[in-house]
Amino acid sequence: MTKTSEDFQVFVKPVGAACNLACSYCYYLQKGALYPDEKSFRMSDDLLEIYILQHIQASSAQTVFFSWHGGEPTMAGLDYFRRIAELQKKHLPANREVLNGIQTNGTLLNEEWCRFLKMENFMVGISLDGPEKFHSSNRFRKDGKSSFDEVLRAFQLLKTYQIPCEILCVVHSGNVRFPLEVYRFFKSSKVEFLTFIPVVERLSPESNQVSDRSVPAKSFGEFLCAIFDEWKISDIGTVKIQIFEEALLTAFGPDHALCIFKSVCGRVPVVEHNGDFYSCDHFVDSAHWVGNIRGNSLAELLESMGQKAFGQAKLDLLPEYCLKCDVRSMCNGACPKDRFIETPEGEPGLNYLCEGYKLFFNHCKPFVEEVAEAWGSNQSQ
């Protein structure tokens, strides 16, 4: 039985790119075009069982973690997820445990869903872009109506059922100029786990120009700095913000947890509704198709030469400008999907968000160094 040599996380798509919303900045809706002859994007029951078994067999961790993504995964229906839980219990060895995460827009959640999620110990990620005026500018239903009220209702319902919930806030050109208004909205809503995801939309695959929705790089850095300063004063231990946690990890030595800041990537692939395995959620295209789990096991695909090469390219193609950067350990060139501008010396492959990341990581670096020094002193006592 093949197991992987490293930890991994699969973004599995039980309904492919299908979604009940039409968010303007969604990069995944168009992926349905990869399967023009498909009538249903729901993963079949037999393939679902194959995937779950292979995932358990591939994992060497005590806790086997599943990530259900989309599109909108709740469109598969609650009974489908009950079947997922049954299959996991069927195939999980007695000495191990399973943990599920689901990323959702929240609009289909209700009390029955929440009772299930609580009973089966799911963690939930829900997308909310801050106050209504910022959320509603991009996240709307197919009839053009805002999803804000439904999403906020879902978040409050998850809190009522005490289900661990992370807010994913997309940062775009509309909300990036109002960092404290966005952050204080989340604090007033009692958000405990918060992730900021910057919009970077290239006008074409060959272009180094971005859409009007995209965040200006420097503005994104300023957004993070402003929130960091308030968080550092009043919210440490109360609100966990993913990029701040990643920066602080460098104080303790281990590698980053988040793929975009790791020196080498490739451990967060996608398994589509038909079993197709792609290198990354941002590279679901024919050039990054690695295989299908009906033909090769999940572990074999994770350890394949193609997938290893994809991950190693992140390091191998890092510009000299990045190699010499004083905050390289915090960034490592960030996500390859955004490496499409040139360095000041004209070398290709610089991350579009570089100016913002450098601004933020240099801003928080003194605090990280203080934490590292305090931790080192405690270790030596």
Side-chain angles (χ1 to χ4, degrees):
M1 183 187 301
T2 304
K3 288 188 179 292
T4 62
S5 59
E6 304 172 67
D7 289 342
F8 64 90
Q9 180 182 2
V10 177
F11 284 3
V12 61
K13 312 282 187 171
V15 294
C19 187
N20 61 328
L21 297 187
C23 302
S24 61
Y25 50 54
C26 181
Y27 61 88
Y28 211 84
L29 278 175
Q30 62 184 323
K31 302 304 179 183
L34 292 169
Y35 306 100
D37 299 325
E38 291 280 354
K39 294 181 180 179
S40 172
F41 288 93
R42 181 166 136 162
M43 183 179 285
S44 65
D45 289 351
D46 72 306
L47 182 59
L48 179 65
E49 184 162 14
I50 289 169
Y51 167 69
I52 287 172
L53 177 58
Q54 288 188 7
H55 189 115
I56 291 170
Q57 290 175 337
S59 177
S60 57
Q62 177 64 29
T63 300
V64 185
F65 183 62
F66 289 83
S67 295
W68 305 97
H69 276 245
E72 176 48 47
T74 60
M75 289 181 67
L78 181 52
D79 285 343
Y80 191 88
F81 275 84
R82 289 189 175 113
R83 180 62 177 155
I84 286 171
E86 290 172 0
L87 290 171
Q88 290 172 337
K89 291 168 186 173
K90 174 182 175 181
H91 293 293
L92 190 71
N95 62 337
R96 302 174 75 189
E97 60 183 1
V98 69
L99 184 62
N100 285 285
I102 183 171
Q103 177 57 40
T104 175
N105 60 44
T107 60
L108 300 178
L109 296 184
N110 56 26
E111 298 218 18
E112 189 178 11
W113 264 105
C114 287
R115 285 192 291 270
F116 166 80
L117 295 170
K118 179 65 174 178
M119 180 175 66
E120 297 297 340
N121 297 314
F122 269 68
M123 299 187 301
V124 178
I126 194 165
S127 298
L128 181 62
D129 290 355
E132 182 173 9
K133 62 183 177 182
F134 300 133
H135 179 93
S136 299
S137 63
N138 291 286
R139 301 194 63 84
F140 34 75
R141 305 174 63 87
K142 292 183 178 179
D143 61 7
K145 294 180 180 179
S146 172
S147 64
F148 180 80
D149 289 341
E150 294 169 290
V151 176
L152 198 59
R153 172 197 55 79
F155 173 65
Q156 296 300 335
L157 197 57
L158 291 165
K159 286 187 68 66
T160 297
Y161 277 84
Q162 298 182 316
I163 297 166
C165 182
E166 176 185 23
I167 291 293
L168 274 66
C169 172
V170 174
V171 184
H172 48 80
S173 57
N175 59 7
V176 72
R177 295 176 291 114
F178 303 93
L180 295 184
E181 184 176 352
V182 170
Y183 182 49
R184 288 168 184 170
F185 165 79
F186 288 129
K187 287 203 295 181
S188 67
S189 301
K190 308 300 181 186
V191 171
E192 298 177 56
F193 303 95
L194 183 56
T195 290
F196 294 115
I197 301 174
V199 172
V200 180
E201 295 177 325
R202 297 173 74 174
L203 293 181
S204 74
E206 298 78 27
S207 175
N208 63 359
Q209 301 298 309
V210 298
S211 72
D212 291 341
R213 278 189 298 267
S214 299
V215 290
K218 184 179 180 182
S219 296
F220 183 58
E222 292 169 341
F223 176 93
L224 295 174
C225 289
I227 294 174
F228 180 81
D229 288 344
E230 179 155 319
W231 173 84
K232 184 176 68 171
I233 293 170
S234 59
D235 302 317
I236 294 177
T238 303
V239 182
K240 289 186 178 296
I241 300 177
Q242 187 183 57
I243 192 170
F244 300 171
E245 298 288 318
E246 289 293 322
L248 286 166
L249 270 180
T250 61
F252 306 108
D255 195 8
H256 287 281
L258 186 62
C259 62
I260 66 169
F261 296 134
K262 287 179 176 286
S263 58
V264 172
C265 61
R267 305 308 290 180
V268 190
V270 161
V271 171
E272 257 288 350
H273 70 288
N274 68 339
D276 281 346
F277 179 108
Y278 294 92
S279 292
C280 168
D281 195 49
H282 291 287
F283 292 89
V284 175
D285 53 45
S286 58
H288 295 91
W289 179 85
V290 181
N292 189 289
I293 63 171
R294 288 193 187 273
N296 297 95
S297 72
L298 181 65
E300 289 170 340
L301 293 166
L302 279 161
E303 300 299 322
S304 65
M305 290 181 62
Q307 186 65 5
K308 292 285 190 181
F310 171 83
Q312 185 63 36
K314 181 181 181 184
L315 176 59
D316 293 346
L317 298 178
L318 202 63
E320 187 70 19
Y321 181 79
C322 297
L323 294 173
K324 295 178 178 179
C325 180
D326 56 359
V327 290
R328 177 191 165 186
S329 65
M330 291 181 164
C331 173
N332 285 307
C335 186
K337 81 175 181 69
D338 296 330
R339 293 186 185 179
F340 55 83
I341 64 172
E342 293 182 348
T343 69
E345 295 76 27
E347 188 178 2
L350 185 65
N351 197 295
Y352 166 82
L353 292 168
C354 174
E355 184 180 10
Y357 281 137
K358 284 189 76 171
L359 178 65
F360 168 66
F361 286 128
N362 275 302
H363 182 77
C364 71
K365 191 175 180 181
F367 178 73
V368 172
E369 290 172 345
E370 288 177 21
V371 171
E373 184 178 353
W375 182 76
S377 298
N378 290 336
Q379 292 295 106
S380 62
Q381 291 176 2

